[in-house]
Amino acid sequence: MWKVGDRVLGRRHEDVYWYPGTVRHIDGDRCYVIFDDGEDALVGRDNLRAIDLQVGDRVFARTAAGRAYTAASVTGRKGDELRLQYDDGTSAWTPLALVRVRTEASPPPPAAAPEGPPRAIGERVLACWDDLYWYPGMVFAVTGEQYHVIFDDGNQALVRGERLRPLTVKVGDRVWCRWQGGPAYHAGVIASKTGEVIHVNYDDGDEENTLLRLVRLERDDWLPAGEMTGVAEGSRVLACWFDQNWYPGVVVSVHGKRLHILFDDGDQAMVTPDRIKPLELKVGDRVCVRHKGGPIYYPGEITRISGEVIQVSYDDGVEETTSIRFLRIEREGLRDAPEGFE
């Protein structure tokens, strides 16, 4: 159905939104798509559709300089430009690259979230951000088991139920707070609380009246556990990136259940122990590799290993000697991987 060069709307990384992009390569029933926002992913055909936006369709769009998406209705289209009527009453021509589309116009209520009732639209919550700290925000929309959260600092994210908690803090709780609303967080204890106004006694002796929106919590007990035996700074690991694929990297630091991973491609992330595996590969393992170090991952099989150098036989018959740093293992590829470190 699809061919290289087709413009599509694609759903990626278990997201509930569809984003515009272009098909650059086809691998069986999946297409390698470069999205207009610079992301790329292998997308199954069931998660691709034509860019069939019409007048009256509901979308979310952001400005060229902004990060937040705003709800709008399509009132006109010229190629990859949409005329949008935003819910705040403004209208503008907007590039398709700045638009995303919801999977469902009216999502059904979700099943009960773990350790609590369903999160309702408008509910105040603590949600876990990429750095694995918990920040205050509000549920903006619910789709299935995912919650669109607008954080009090203006960021937004799709968050699964296990990474949400009701916004409940009490006197005596340990928090990190932005002193005088500045950018840096400092450790302290809540000494009193009235609504969302709190008084914090900082560890360095300072104290102030401030707001819950300037707070974050370090709650490792809310994070998933995993096998940590043998993992330390400098350990070589496979770690799960946000696209749910596993990439080689090095443990930079360990802070409780937070592991700072420097991936071989230069990206970095904080991950929990359940999202790392020992970097143990063997002949016959199925992998995806960036052929000649290029941007596209191709499936194949490891035929020889010598340290960090591997020989790969690609499914199309091509063979290459390359480096472990150019590979990734897709989520189903770790079914037979060791359960943890020894």
Side-chain angles (χ1 to χ4, degrees):
M1 177 180 177
W2 303 108
K3 61 183 184 296
V4 173
D6 280 350
R7 293 283 289 155
V8 293
L9 287 171
R11 189 170 57 181
R12 66 198 185 203
H13 306 170
E14 299 183 346
D15 205 334
V16 297
Y17 292 95
W18 300 72
Y19 298 81
T22 303
V23 176
R24 294 301 188 195
H25 176 71
I26 298 176
D27 175 21
D29 62 352
R30 297 181 300 178
C31 297
Y32 175 73
V33 178
I34 296 180
F35 292 93
D36 293 357
D37 61 7
E39 293 285 336
D40 65 276
L42 272 174
V43 182
R45 293 175 184 269
D46 291 343
N47 286 321
L48 292 175
R49 74 187 218 199
I51 300 179
D52 52 1
L53 296 174
Q54 301 176 3
V55 171
D57 283 346
R58 294 286 290 170
V59 298
F60 290 83
R62 59 186 176 87
T63 64
R67 296 176 60 187
Y69 284 86
T70 303
S73 297
V74 178
T75 59
R77 179 179 175 185
K78 294 179 182 177
D80 273 4
E81 293 276 329
L82 299 176
R83 184 167 182 81
L84 301 180
Q85 179 73 36
Y86 292 93
D87 288 0
D88 64 4
T90 62
S91 63
W93 283 97
T94 303
L96 189 60
L98 301 179
V99 168
R100 66 184 184 185
V101 183
R102 274 283 293 276
T103 304
E104 300 171 311
S106 300
E115 299 182 23
R119 307 296 175 218
I121 293 174
E123 183 180 348
R124 294 284 280 148
V125 293
L126 287 165
C128 191
W129 183 245
D130 294 344
D131 60 4
L132 304 184
Y133 285 95
W134 299 75
Y135 296 83
M138 181 187 71
V139 176
F140 177 72
V142 183
T143 301
E145 296 181 353
Q146 297 199 86
Y147 300 79
H148 182 177
V149 175
I150 298 179
F151 291 89
D152 289 359
D153 62 6
N155 285 317
Q156 301 186 42
L158 284 168
V159 181
R160 298 185 67 84
E162 62 267 21
R163 291 202 169 195
L164 284 182
R165 295 291 188 278
L167 181 53
T168 54
V169 297
K170 61 185 183 301
V171 172
D173 280 350
R174 292 280 297 170
V175 294
W176 294 77
C177 191
R178 292 162 51 193
W179 165 253
Q180 295 186 348
Y185 284 87
H186 301 273
V189 175
I190 296 178
S192 65
K193 177 178 179 292
T194 304
E196 295 213 355
V197 177
I198 56 176
H199 187 88
V200 176
N201 291 335
Y202 292 98
D203 292 356
D204 62 6
D206 285 326
E207 58 183 89
E208 69 170 337
N209 286 318
T210 186
L211 299 172
L212 272 181
R213 68 180 183 86
L214 301 176
V215 161
R216 71 183 184 190
L217 276 69
E218 182 178 348
R219 290 300 302 266
D220 279 8
D221 56 309
W222 292 349
L223 298 175
E227 179 58 59
M228 290 284 287
T229 303
V231 63
E233 293 182 8
S235 295
R236 288 286 276 153
V237 295
L238 286 168
C240 191
W241 183 246
F242 300 110
D243 63 1
Q244 305 305 311
N245 295 312
W246 298 72
Y247 296 83
V250 176
V251 177
V252 176
S253 61
V254 180
H255 305 281
K257 291 185 181 179
R258 294 175 179 80
L259 294 95
H260 181 185
I261 306 298
L262 174 61
F263 291 91
D264 289 0
D265 62 6
D267 283 327
Q268 301 185 47
M270 300 293 291
V271 303
T272 47
D274 62 312
R275 297 176 74 83
I276 60 169
K277 298 283 185 181
L279 182 52
E280 295 177 354
L281 302 170
K282 61 184 184 298
V283 172
D285 279 350
R286 294 286 298 170
V287 293
C288 290
V289 182
R290 292 162 49 198
H291 180 53
K292 294 184 178 180
I296 301 176
Y297 286 87
Y298 296 92
E301 183 176 298
I302 296 176
T303 57
R304 183 168 56 86
I305 302 176
S306 178
E308 294 271 325
V309 177
I310 57 175
Q311 180 81 22
V312 178
S313 177
Y314 294 102
D315 290 356
D316 60 7
V318 174
E319 294 191 356
E320 178 184 26
T321 299
T322 184
S323 171
I324 285 176
R325 70 187 181 91
F326 292 126
L327 69 75
R328 74 179 181 192
I329 298 179
E330 298 188 350
R331 64 190 82 175
E332 65 273 15
L334 279 177
R335 290 174 182 161
D336 298 325
E339 290 300 320
F341 293 88
E342 296 181 355

